[in-house]
Amino acid sequence: MTNRDSVRQKPRIFLTEDAKRLAKKRLPRMIFDFVEGAAGREVGAGRNETRFDDITLQPRAMADVSKRSLITRFLGGEYGLPLGIAPMGMCNLACPKGDALIARSATDRNVPVCLSSAASSSIEEMRRWSGDLAWFQLYFGQTADASFSAAERARDAGYDTLILTIDVPEVSRRIRDQQNGFSLPFRLTPRAFLDFALHPRWSISTLAHGVPAPRNFATESKGFDRKASRAGADWKFLQELRGRWPGKLIVKGITSPEDAVRVQGLGVDAVYVSNHGGRQLDSAPPAIDLLPIIRNAVGPNYPLLFDSGIRNGEDVVKALALGADFVMLGRPTLYALAAAGGAGLQSLLQCFADDIDLAMAQIGVNRIEDITDQVLFTPDFQSVHHETTPRAVHLSAAT
Ligand SMILES: Cc1cc2nc3c(=O)[nH]c(=O)nc-3n(C[C@H](O)[C@H](O)[C@H](O)COP(=O)(O)O)c2cc1C
């Protein structure tokens, strides 16, 4: 085995940050920025992540944690981890055959994988690769009819779980994409040409597999238009979709408790709390702050999914403790793919699994469903204040 082979077999990915660093090296800047970038000044995307650091878990002593299991039951399915892969358009830009590699890792770990409407693999391909683990994400297309036919196409292909994304009434301004001249389908500007020339490995392999293009808008006369308004996904549309879709229906992109309750009232099976990873409204609140508020609004038993800012296994545990039943991985999936293909994603998923398992041992729980708000550390500021007052007085007297 050459050195290069051994590096390929064992990607040095121990954290999402490792995958991101490698992805930054390997991808043309325009592509890395498409994945990493967010709306406006990207303050919201940063806050999604850093907010997790302020949440802490309470270690528990001497509990019997010998029967730990990561098996997670959600919406009638049983999964190997409490997480799945979030819908992301154009995953094949991160790595040739990206969607197929995601499907393979997801089936290896028995976790769901959601194909985006804007994917460059077809609805039918993903279903073939992932079987019942394949979910489909629907964007409102040019018309309600075109959108219903995309859902019917997914139904005909055998999908049971449909996610309607409602937080893109208009595509936000992603400044990095504007600066880089990123557009879909690609226009090969001189700037892009230079960027690609500086990353020959990515460019040659991507060209060899055919430049990725959206594959799931075949029913629409104008094909895929990334900038098209999706504001047609309104309450009336949702109600009609609920009537037509016989399987499980999830609404993604909910950030307000009022909206969550209204979605719940329409007979939707689950609400997906997400601010699109900060890619839509820079000033949106950090998604994790919204989770307990929405949990409170919909009651203890209504199914909730969550994404935006999850970067490691302890973040997953925190999201479950704050009210999520299931979590989805966004950018970390693409960083890992770009870093080292399927092996990269497998390594990263193993890191997530290890971290969730070890955190459960530390906080004294054996089952995913036992991760409740009881595992959170909530400082009792009053008693801290009481105890520290004499010391504070002492310190100020000494200065
Ligand atoms: C490159 C990229 C493409 C995305 N495409 C879609 C999409 O087509 N449909 C959708 O509902 N969400 C899409 N999202 C949002 C993700 O589903 C998810 O909400 C977000 O990535 C979560 O934030 P995080 O990456 O910070 O964890 C995309 C995100 C990224 C990074």
Side-chain angles (χ1 to χ4, degrees):
M1 200 190 326
T2 64
N3 264 353
R4 185 173 249 204
D5 289 338
S6 68
V7 168
R8 263 199 201 134
Q9 276 183 5
K10 271 197 174 287
R12 295 194 56 76
I13 295 176
F14 307 104
L15 291 168
T16 293
E17 287 76 1
D18 293 329
K20 181 168 159 180
R21 193 173 24 80
L22 290 168
K24 193 168 186 178
K25 260 197 221 156
R26 300 203 169 149
L27 292 176
R29 180 169 176 172
M30 173 186 273
I31 305 299
F32 179 79
D33 281 350
F34 162 64
V35 173
E36 161 82 349
R41 291 163 54 233
E42 305 188 351
V43 176
R47 254 198 307 249
N48 275 344
E49 288 185 39
T50 53
R51 199 67 190 93
F52 275 95
D53 298 337
D54 297 332
I55 302 163
T56 52
L57 301 170
Q58 175 62 63
R60 295 305 301 269
M62 293 173 279
D64 176 2
V65 287
S66 57
K67 299 195 175 62
R68 294 191 310 285
S69 162
L70 301 186
I71 299 284
T72 307
R73 277 163 276 277
F74 182 66
L75 283 185
E78 192 174 276
Y79 301 108
L81 294 171
L83 57 86
I85 308 298
M88 284 175 289
M90 309 303 290
C91 296
N92 293 349
L93 285 175
C95 156
K97 299 191 185 169
D99 290 315
L101 295 172
I102 292 176
R104 192 179 308 158
S105 292
T107 44
D108 281 355
R109 299 224 68 121
N110 186 30
V111 298
V113 46
C114 188
L115 184 81
S116 157
S117 274
S120 54
S121 302
S122 75
I123 292 174
E124 293 75 16
E125 280 172 329
M126 182 50 93
R127 168 74 196 170
R128 239 187 358 263
W129 297 328
S130 314
D132 289 345
L133 291 171
W135 297 357
F136 180 61
Q137 176 263 323
L138 183 70
Y139 270 137
F140 188 88
Q142 278 162 28
T143 61
D145 281 346
S147 315
F148 293 135
S149 8
E152 264 160 42
R153 182 174 156 195
R155 187 71 199 162
D156 291 345
Y159 286 74
D160 182 53
T161 303
L162 182 69
I163 297 184
L164 174 69
T165 298
I166 49 78
D167 59 5
V168 189
E170 302 295 337
V171 179
S172 73
R173 237 157 48 81
R174 311 229 174 107
I175 309 303
R176 296 196 211 192
D177 289 351
Q178 292 190 333
Q179 286 167 340
N180 294 329
F182 178 87
S183 64
L184 288 172
F186 278 127
R187 268 178 305 115
L188 201 58
T189 58
R191 194 191 176 106
F193 185 81
L194 182 65
D195 193 9
F196 292 174
L198 289 170
H199 297 85
R201 201 166 98 182
W202 179 92
S203 303
I204 290 166
S205 58
T206 299
L207 277 182
H209 287 88
V211 177
R215 292 275 301 280
N216 296 312
F217 286 80
T219 47
E220 304 201 359
S221 53
K222 285 188 244 154
F224 178 68
D225 176 1
R226 185 170 177 234
K227 296 231 174 97
S229 169
R230 311 207 178 278
D234 59 11
W235 292 102
K236 185 166 161 283
F237 175 79
L238 174 60
Q239 199 162 6
E240 193 165 347
L241 184 68
R242 176 64 293 186
R244 288 171 179 245
W245 180 260
K248 281 154 209 136
L249 180 62
I250 299 170
V251 173
K252 173 174 188 272
I254 294 291
T255 56
S256 117
E258 290 82 10
D259 290 344
V261 169
R262 193 163 169 194
V263 167
Q264 181 183 24
L266 288 178
V268 169
D269 297 286
V271 156
Y272 187 152
V273 179
S274 164
N275 65 19
H276 218 105
R279 288 164 81 85
Q280 281 300 106
L281 179 66
D282 197 21
S283 302
I288 192 66
D289 283 1
L290 299 164
L291 192 48
I293 300 170
I294 292 179
R295 167 52 71 207
N296 202 27
V298 297
N301 300 321
Y302 186 69
L304 285 185
L305 290 103
F306 175 82
D307 77 21
S308 297
I310 298 269
R311 294 295 177 269
N312 58 62
E314 290 190 14
D315 290 348
V316 175
V317 173
K318 291 173 191 178
L320 298 176
L322 285 163
D325 298 298
F326 208 72
V327 161
M328 301 292 269
L329 292 191
R331 292 182 184 85
T333 310
L334 298 185
Y335 296 147
L337 272 185
L345 184 52
Q346 280 161 17
S347 289
L348 190 66
L349 288 175
Q350 187 60 50
C351 297
F352 270 83
D354 288 346
D355 285 349
I356 297 168
D357 179 55
L358 294 169
M360 285 168 71
Q362 294 291 328
I363 62 178
V365 301
N366 283 300
R367 300 179 314 161
I368 293 295
E369 54 267 41
D370 294 336
I371 301 175
T372 65
D373 58 2
Q374 295 299 305
V375 308
L376 295 166
F377 170 66
T378 36
D380 178 350
F381 286 113
Q382 213 146 19
S383 66
V384 172
H385 176 72
H386 191 69
E387 276 171 27
T388 55
T389 304
R391 181 169 160 74
V393 169
H394 169 75
L395 284 177
S396 62
T399 51

